[in-house]
Amino acid sequence: LAKAWNYEGELVLRKQNEIDYTIIRPGVMSSEVKEGKKVLALKDNGGDLKVSSISYSDIASLCIKCSNNPNAARSTLTAMTVPEGEGSDTWDELLQGVNEDTRVFPENMLAEHKKATRIGGVAITAVLFGLMSGIVKIIIGIIALIRR
């Protein structure tokens, strides 16, 4: 459900014509900074990258770079680290290829998540009720055997 709320916030930003937003979707954030050469990857338009860890300092650096880069205005960026040879050593090189969002993002994500949560809750309740009913029958059977 948290992801749905994130998307709702993104939608609010995208609808604002007066704000040049940059939405950054990082990988698994960590305070751990990788030793040796780090390789950064970036996809614009909310594109997908294989989920990987990325340091808080790398994301902070990206935020600062985006604030000074007109290409990053009105864009949704996915940021990760990738194996050597698949990315870049710096955000500057990657930001040169960033474009403004053109993708149509779903607007009913929160409603869909709420619906799925309700359906899932009902299903879990039904399964638990079935299990409890079975357990009660077993206990009644054991008690009947003991009384004989």
Side-chain angles (χ1 to χ4, degrees):
L1 198 57
K3 192 171 189 176
W5 282 109
N6 287 345
Y7 285 135
E8 286 292 310
E10 290 179 7
L11 287 172
V12 170
L13 279 174
R14 287 188 194 97
K15 289 179 181 178
Q16 302 303 312
N17 295 323
E18 305 83 33
I19 298 173
D20 282 340
Y21 64 84
T22 303
I23 297 167
I24 298 174
R25 295 176 176 171
V28 178
M29 295 184 62
S30 168
S31 56
E32 186 179 313
V33 178
K34 290 185 178 181
E35 294 297 319
K37 188 175 181 180
K38 64 182 170 201
V39 183
L40 307 168
L42 197 61
K43 286 272 188 164
D44 61 2
N45 217 20
D48 292 326
L49 287 169
K50 182 178 178 187
V51 177
S52 64
S53 67
I54 189 162
S55 71
Y56 293 114
S57 61
D58 284 335
I59 294 300
S61 172
L62 176 59
C63 291
I64 291 167
K65 298 284 184 183
C66 286
S67 69
N68 295 317
N69 190 316
N71 286 5
R74 303 195 66 77
S75 65
T76 303
L77 306 176
T78 304
M80 307 282 175
T81 55
V82 292
E84 196 168 338
E86 293 182 23
S88 177
D89 299 337
T90 69
W91 293 121
D92 293 318
E93 181 182 335
L94 296 168
L95 284 168
Q96 289 174 12
V98 168
N99 293 303
E100 185 175 307
D101 285 340
T102 57
R103 177 175 159 191
V104 177
F105 292 87
E107 295 203 18
N108 62 342
M109 181 101 33
L110 186 58
E112 290 298 315
H113 277 300
K114 285 180 178 178
K115 180 179 167 185
T117 302
R118 280 193 295 273
I119 292 169
V122 169
I124 289 171
T125 301
V127 168
L128 290 175
F129 181 75
L131 287 173
M132 293 300 289
S133 155
I135 291 170
V136 167
K137 288 178 183 176
I138 291 170
I139 291 172
I140 290 172
I142 292 171
I143 291 171
L145 286 174
I146 293 172
R147 288 189 174 172
R148 287 187 181 171

